[in-house]
Amino acid sequence: MNPSTLIGMLGGLGMLVAVLFFAAEEPTAFINLPGLAIVLGGTFAATFLSYPLKEVLRVFGLFGIVLRNERLYTRDDMEELIQISRLWLRGDIRAVENALDKVSNPFLRTGVQLLIDLTPEEDILDLLQWRISRLRARERAEAQLFRVMASFAPAFGMIGTLVGLINMMFILDEGDIAVIGQHMAVALLTTFYGILLANMVFKPIAVKLERRTEQRVVLMNMVLQGISMMCQKRNPTLMRETLNSFMAHYKDEIHDPSIRLDTENGAQEAEGAGRGR
């Protein structure tokens, strides 16, 4: 399982447990199945109305993507690309094809195969950029699906609140506190469920999917740059340094203590030299 997802789930569950057992007079009062049914049922009903059936059914698969610890193997793809570049630079097409059979990244395989087929560089880059755009659009739509669900959940929570208040108005004359309390619970808890689902489930999943897309696009752009350099028959060493720039973690030159210490030492040395004069 993805470590950050696991930490978030445990943290959210821990927060709810703490609220229910330490800040609530009666923890079971926060359990209201009719209110939860209004929020979940309404949210999924509105989602089915908004999207085609095929896209809505993908929600369950996307839950699995968020839960599992997905690796991108960026370093492995870069090493494979550099190795194939060396073979390509030597003109050993047979060795390039053999190395290509071991490549698991379909995007990289497509680019190298087009290169072997002597496709013009401009056409290769256009095709690969189109595939990047298509992936970004598709996965952005998947994340947007959860953002839409996050907007529906609080709305149906308010609908449940109105239903509870309307029912409560009809029984005010009877004065039965137990019945009034039951309808008031539905009125308040549906809003609680809607806000909780929106901000603890749907929105976090959307953000995680968007972040996943950004990482995948960076990897694909790295491969795109490598294919372009292969078309130009650039040196593999130069390719390695260029592709490393896609994976670099830049230091903060303002707040990095080591950089600040070096700067201060340099200033002190310059001041001492000035005084010596």
Side-chain angles (χ1 to χ4, degrees), residues 84 87-88 92-101 112 116 230:
I84 292 175
L87 299 174
W88 176 256
D92 193 347
I93 304 300
R94 175 78 59 180
V96 172
E97 292 177 343
N98 292 334
L100 190 61
D101 292 335
V112 175
I116 294 174
M230 284 182 63

Side-chain angles (χ1 to χ4, degrees), residues 21-36:
F21 285 93
F22 296 104
E25 295 292 335
E26 182 62 38
T28 57
F30 283 82
I31 301 175
N32 187 276
L33 296 181
L36 184 61

Side-chain angles (χ1 to χ4, degrees), residues 44 47-48 51-60 145:
F44 279 101
T47 304
F48 275 103
Y51 288 89
L53 177 62
K54 183 178 180 180
E55 294 185 25
V56 177
L57 293 179
R58 279 187 53 81
V59 166
F60 305 102
L145 174 62

Side-chain angles (χ1 to χ4, degrees), residues 205-230:
I205 290 177
V207 172
K208 179 147 289 192
L209 290 175
E210 290 169 351
R211 179 58 182 161
R212 172 178 176 266
T213 300
E214 292 175 4
Q215 294 173 340
R216 285 155 63 86
V217 168
V218 168
L219 173 59
M220 295 174 78
N221 279 320
M222 184 197 74
V223 173
L224 176 66
Q225 181 65 29
I227 297 297
S228 175
M229 297 184 74
M230 284 182 63

Side-chain angles (χ1 to χ4, degrees), residues 125-135:
L125 298 183
D126 286 344
L127 175 61
L128 296 182
Q129 287 172 350
W130 176 78
R131 289 186 59 172
I132 293 174
S133 299
R134 187 181 63 175
L135 177 135

Side-chain angles (χ1 to χ4, degrees), residues 161-175 179-180 183-184 187:
T161 297
L162 294 176
V163 170
L165 292 176
I166 291 171
N167 289 333
M168 189 176 64
M169 296 296 292
F170 284 102
I171 51 103
L172 284 178
D173 293 338
E174 300 178 6
V179 177
I180 293 175
H183 289 291
M184 180 62 73

Side-chain angles (χ1 to χ4, degrees), residues 54-108:
K54 183 178 180 180
E55 294 185 25
V56 177
L57 293 179
R58 279 187 53 81
V59 166
F60 305 102
L62 295 174
F63 270 115
I65 290 175
V66 171
L67 291 176
R68 69 170 180 258
N69 188 18
E70 185 178 17
R71 294 183 57 191
L72 295 179
Y73 301 98
T74 306
R75 176 66 63 178
D76 294 340
D77 290 341
M78 187 182 75
E79 294 298 332
E80 288 176 344
L81 190 55
I82 293 172
Q83 178 186 0
I84 292 175
S85 174
R86 289 195 179 98
L87 299 174
W88 176 256
L89 199 61
R90 293 202 302 260
D92 193 347
I93 304 300
R94 175 78 59 180
V96 172
E97 292 177 343
N98 292 334
L100 190 61
D101 292 335
K102 302 176 183 179
V103 173
S104 59
N105 188 330
F107 187 75
L108 193 157

